[in-house]
Amino acid sequence: MKLGIFMMPVHPLHRNNTETLKEDREAVILADQLGYHDVFIGEHLTDQAENITNSLLFLATLIHSTKNIKLASGTCNLSQIHPVIVAANAAMFDHLCEGRFILGVSPGALVSDAEAIGILEEDRNKMFAEAIDVILAVWERSAPYDIEFPGNRFKVTTRKTMDLDFGVGVMPKPFQKPRPEIVGTVVAPFSKGVVAMGERDFHPLSANFLLPHWLKTHWANYAEGKKKAGITPDASEWRVARTVFVADDDKVAAAYGRHDANSPYRFYYKQLQTKLTKAGRHAVFKERLDQPDQEVTYEFVLDRLCIYGTVNKVVDQLLALREQVGDFGELVYAGMDWVDRKLGQRSMELMATEVMPRVNAAIKR
């Protein structure tokens, strides 16, 4: 099982953007040094706590500060950007990092982003699906492209103005052939979008703020899509993100990872629960879809979604998770604000050097 990291750290609102962006870069550089396989960087236009507005721009600052870690948009919000811009920028980024790139995609979930750019009333899931078709067509076809799919709002051609002798009207292809790995973040239980991922050979990343018992629904739908495409599903393609804190001391782990008033994990889930509840997407926190909202308290969520402890305790919890949901190919560690810099860094170190080697040793037995 590989180890990755998902960075939507949710910084306290009083913190300075310059400092939090520096801290987020340091976390990625540390993850590279510790051998994490990949890093996914979220993006929002209108969120003071999650202040990375463009994941590719942020990741570009890390190409020459890292050596091995794969750099992934996590996600590129396709309802907010014309697909030609995404296709061209992603292809360029793939060349800049010489193939250390994963294109993570989603429709874009933050409603204030949608309002700010005037698409609040649009079907953003439909825009997402249309954009994906165009991005792939741009990479697969040659100029003048002539992309015009039935029911798709995006029409793409350079026929009237192209001049192949001068290279005009030609868009770049990615460094990786035939294309970079494409990963979709999955949040909702029983998500039908995962079926389409399986059919198109996109790989799912199940969100860390989804209760564990819903994770099986993601795998079942992904496997269904693979079978529709005539391909045997491969669990190594499934990433599962979890909220984990590891410490050298049990009391420290319990305080910083769950109970202390200043715990970044408490702040993270206060933010997430409030946002998802306001957006009507709080089913992720429920043990059953008809569970009354009043039962889904803050403590209820923390009890079920925060994994914390010393190395052996975290190993046991992760192995129990795998026993519950089945095999998956990568555990994705959720990055947090470094309220305590040393504890935040130590947790990342223990995950890479102690926890994952023991988890993998247990899996092999």
Side-chain angles (χ1 to χ4, degrees), residues 62-217:
L62 286 154
I63 292 172
H64 299 296
S65 300
T66 58
K67 294 180 179 179
N68 299 306
I69 196 168
K70 292 195 172 186
L71 306 172
S73 54
T75 63
C76 184
N77 297 327
L78 298 187
S79 69
Q80 301 173 5
I81 316 169
H82 195 286
V84 165
I85 296 174
V86 177
N89 287 347
M92 182 186 76
F93 188 94
D94 199 29
H95 284 277
L96 286 171
C97 67
E98 298 185 16
R100 272 199 297 135
F101 173 55
I102 298 169
L103 178 61
V105 293
S106 77
L110 192 62
V111 291
S112 57
D113 284 359
E115 180 184 8
I117 61 176
I119 61 168
L120 185 58
E121 305 306 322
E122 296 278 353
D123 184 343
R124 297 187 293 281
N125 287 318
K126 187 173 189 297
M127 295 175 75
F128 167 77
E130 292 169 356
I132 279 289
D133 286 340
V134 172
I135 292 166
L136 294 178
V138 167
W139 288 348
E140 291 163 359
R141 300 185 186 186
S142 299
Y145 307 102
D146 292 335
I147 300 166
E148 187 168 344
F149 298 121
N152 191 314
R153 77 195 67 202
F154 302 110
K155 319 297 180 189
V156 180
T157 185
T158 59
R159 182 168 293 281
K160 289 182 181 179
T161 55
M162 75 175 184
D163 186 335
L164 297 184
D165 290 338
F166 288 89
V168 174
V170 179
M171 288 182 267
K173 307 293 186 193
F175 177 89
Q176 299 174 75
K177 305 304 178 189
R179 60 164 173 79
E181 180 184 9
I182 298 178
V183 171
T185 301
V186 194
V187 178
F190 303 100
S191 170
K192 292 300 180 186
V194 193
V195 180
M197 286 186 199
E199 290 183 278
R200 305 189 71 164
D201 195 30
F202 301 169
H203 300 157
L205 192 168
S206 297
N208 59 296
F209 42 88
L210 180 76
L211 288 192
H213 70 280
W214 295 123
L215 292 171
K216 282 185 175 181
T217 71

Side-chain angles (χ1 to χ4, degrees), residues 3 8 37 64 81 100 189 232 254 282 327 344 356 362:
L3 175 65
M8 45 172 284
H37 176 68
H64 299 296
I81 316 169
R100 272 199 297 135
T232 302
H282 53 298
D327 193 18
M356 290 308 294

Side-chain angles (χ1 to χ4, degrees), residues 80-359:
Q80 301 173 5
I81 316 169
H82 195 286
V84 165
I85 296 174
V86 177
N89 287 347
M92 182 186 76
F93 188 94
D94 199 29
H95 284 277
L96 286 171
C97 67
E98 298 185 16
R100 272 199 297 135
F101 173 55
I102 298 169
L103 178 61
V105 293
S106 77
L110 192 62
V111 291
S112 57
D113 284 359
E115 180 184 8
I117 61 176
I119 61 168
L120 185 58
E121 305 306 322
E122 296 278 353
D123 184 343
R124 297 187 293 281
N125 287 318
K126 187 173 189 297
M127 295 175 75
F128 167 77
E130 292 169 356
I132 279 289
D133 286 340
V134 172
I135 292 166
L136 294 178
V138 167
W139 288 348
E140 291 163 359
R141 300 185 186 186
S142 299
Y145 307 102
D146 292 335
I147 300 166
E148 187 168 344
F149 298 121
N152 191 314
R153 77 195 67 202
F154 302 110
K155 319 297 180 189
V156 180
T157 185
T158 59
R159 182 168 293 281
K160 289 182 181 179
T161 55
M162 75 175 184
D163 186 335
L164 297 184
D165 290 338
F166 288 89
V168 174
V170 179
M171 288 182 267
K173 307 293 186 193
F175 177 89
Q176 299 174 75
K177 305 304 178 189
R179 60 164 173 79
E181 180 184 9
I182 298 178
V183 171
T185 301
V186 194
V187 178
F190 303 100
S191 170
K192 292 300 180 186
V194 193
V195 180
M197 286 186 199
E199 290 183 278
R200 305 189 71 164
D201 195 30
F202 301 169
H203 300 157
L205 192 168
S206 297
N208 59 296
F209 42 88
L210 180 76
L211 288 192
H213 70 280
W214 295 123
L215 292 171
K216 282 185 175 181
T217 71
H218 290 177
W219 173 250
N221 283 6
Y222 182 68
E224 179 186 335
K226 281 289 188 180
K227 290 171 184 174
K228 283 185 177 180
I231 302 170
T232 302
D234 184 351
S236 70
E237 297 170 350
W238 183 26
R239 291 170 170 87
V240 172
R242 292 291 90 183
T243 307
V244 183
F245 174 65
V246 199
D248 294 294
D249 177 85
D250 277 324
K251 289 183 179 179
V252 171
Y256 191 78
R258 169 71 170 80
H259 297 290
D260 192 275
N262 293 321
S263 164
Y265 295 83
R266 292 187 71 86
F267 177 72
Y268 178 95
Y269 276 107
K270 183 176 182 180
Q271 289 278 316
L272 264 290
Q273 185 179 16
T274 301
K275 290 174 185 175
L276 290 173
T277 300
K278 285 184 176 179
R281 303 181 67 197
H282 53 298
V284 297
F285 299 128
K286 295 187 175 186
E287 293 189 322
R288 60 184 193 280
L289 294 179
D290 64 351
Q291 185 175 6
D293 288 356
Q294 62 268 25
E295 291 183 10
V296 186
T297 65
Y298 185 33
E299 299 299 329
F300 176 95
V301 171
L302 289 168
D303 284 344
R304 288 155 180 79
L305 285 171
C306 287
I307 295 173
Y308 58 86
T310 49
V311 169
N312 285 340
K313 287 186 176 179
V314 171
V315 168
D316 288 344
Q317 290 175 79
L318 292 177
L319 289 173
L321 172 72
R322 185 174 177 273
E323 187 70 24
Q324 179 183 6
V325 306
D327 193 18
F328 52 92
E330 181 174 321
L331 177 74
V332 182
Y333 176 97
M336 297 285 152
D337 181 274
W338 285 348
V339 170
D340 185 309
R341 185 182 192 84
K342 289 183 178 179
L343 290 179
Q345 292 177 339
R346 181 60 172 160
S347 178
M348 288 180 61
E349 179 185 356
L350 290 170
M351 274 297 300
T353 62
E354 299 287 342
V355 172
M356 290 308 294
R358 296 188 196 188
V359 167

